[in-house]
Amino acid sequence: MTTDTPISIDDDGIDRRGFLKCMAWAGTGMLFTINGGILSSFPLRSLLDGSGAARKAVEASSFNFVQISDSHIGFSKDANKDVLGTLQAAIDQINGAKATPDLLIHTGDLSHLSQADEFDALDQILKGVRTGAQFFVPGEHDVLADGGKLYFDRYAKESKGKGWYSMDHKGVHFIALVNVLNLKAGGLGNLGEEQLAWLANDVKRLSRSTPVVVFAHVPLWTVYPQWGWGTDDGARALGLLKDFGSVTVLNGHIHQVVQKVEGNIAFHTAMSTAFPQPKAGSAPSPGPMKVPADQLRAMLGVTSVSYIEGNHSLAVVDSTLAGKDL
């Protein structure tokens, strides 16, 4: 399949403009690669059993990193009364990987109520993860108190403006954006003029062949505006990246995997480590979704991303905490 072929999206999809769109709700077990607009996939089972093209692709990578999201430490309602336990399960899964990830990226909602003890508990667990450097962006739950002072004092001391920053790692340019400080009507994320100006200046120095990874909490593309699942000025940020050969956009917030490819930009939202949410439009409103206890870990998970130098695609693997394909 390529982006040249219009795809008809059913009621589970929101964008019906003819772009190639691939969605997997509430957990997934696939490895995705994108080359020249062509989406290829492999069952995650081929990665876990040590054989197949998926495993070879990851093992050949120049480096890999992991994304976790929406840990909601402090949450204790029926949807998951042990968010520390499921976060620890995610860390155990990361530590069990054959290749140690270079980086860990957390795409927000570290805490549930922005409390110091919640951040303390998260930090204690993250001390045990066997990765290199750790990077964060805030979710709206991290900035509920004091305008996010506790979060920014802990996780954003060296960032620009209100928490945004960029970094380079082994040929890949990473951009951390903050879109939860001025949520718009309906809950849509917002970047703001200052951050957009910073982004334009940040990328203008880069070669257009540089692979770019952008991460923020709320999706930068419109997933479901009725529930605030999008960023009102996200298109302006994405417009600054349209000339790059490879852009991967990682988000959290919606607690489920949704993927889309538009031209050179691959979009990916991650599962939560805390609790699932209903798929768009399937319930009166978003929020913690209670499922049978034996199904919960199949709806939570982590994302790993591998970069192969000289290859414009990044391989993205979503793995549930149940450790199996769905």
Side-chain angles (χ1 to χ4, degrees), residues 257-323:
V257 172
V258 181
Q259 295 186 321
K260 180 175 73 166
V261 178
E262 287 187 18
N264 64 320
I265 303 179
F267 301 88
H268 185 100
T269 66
M271 290 174 282
S272 167
T273 68
F275 53 82
Q277 292 199 78
K279 67 180 182 179
S282 68
S285 64
M289 184 172 69
K290 185 179 179 181
V291 299
D294 61 351
Q295 296 178 22
L296 177 61
R297 292 196 177 203
M299 302 180 78
L300 308 176
V302 299
T303 299
S304 64
V305 183
S306 297
Y307 169 60
I308 302 173
E309 189 173 1
N311 190 331
H312 288 295
S313 65
L314 278 76
V316 180
V317 179
D318 291 295
S319 179
T320 73
L321 299 189

Side-chain angles (χ1 to χ4, degrees), residues 1-2 32-40 42 245 261 263 310-314:
M1 295 188 296
T2 74
F32 293 92
T33 60
I34 300 103
N35 287 286
I38 299 174
L39 182 70
S40 301
F42 307 91
V261 178
N311 190 331
H312 288 295
S313 65
L314 278 76

Side-chain angles (χ1 to χ4, degrees), residues 35 38-39 73 92 103 114 159 165 171 187 203 222-223 251 280:
N35 287 286
I38 299 174
L39 182 70
I73 301 304
D92 291 344
L103 312 171
S114 308
S159 63
Y165 58 94
V203 301
T222 302
V223 178
N251 300 116

Side-chain angles (χ1 to χ4, degrees), residues 66 68-69 71 73 84 87-88 90-92 94-95 104-107 110 118-136 155 273:
V66 293
I68 61 175
S69 198
S71 298
I73 301 304
L84 287 173
L87 175 59
Q88 184 61 60
I91 299 307
D92 291 344
I94 293 168
N95 289 343
L104 180 145
I105 289 173
H106 196 303
T107 47
L110 291 70
E118 296 172 351
F119 292 127
D120 288 343
L122 176 98
D123 291 347
Q124 191 63 36
I125 290 181
L126 291 184
K127 286 180 180 178
V129 65
R130 292 196 288 271
T131 65
Q134 299 175 13
F135 297 92
F136 304 88
Y155 306 105
T273 68

Side-chain angles (χ1 to χ4, degrees), residues 152 156 158-165 178 181 194-195 198:
F152 290 113
E158 298 182 6
S159 63
K160 307 296 182 182
K162 273 290 187 176
W164 52 85
Y165 58 94
V178 177
L181 295 180
E194 181 183 0
Q195 187 170 191
W198 170 83

Side-chain angles (χ1 to χ4, degrees), residues 184-205:
K184 298 299 183 180
L188 287 172
N190 178 259
L191 296 165
E193 295 298 331
E194 181 183 0
Q195 187 170 191
L196 287 167
W198 170 83
L199 176 62
N201 186 64
D202 180 69
V203 301
K204 70 180 182 181
R205 64 181 175 82

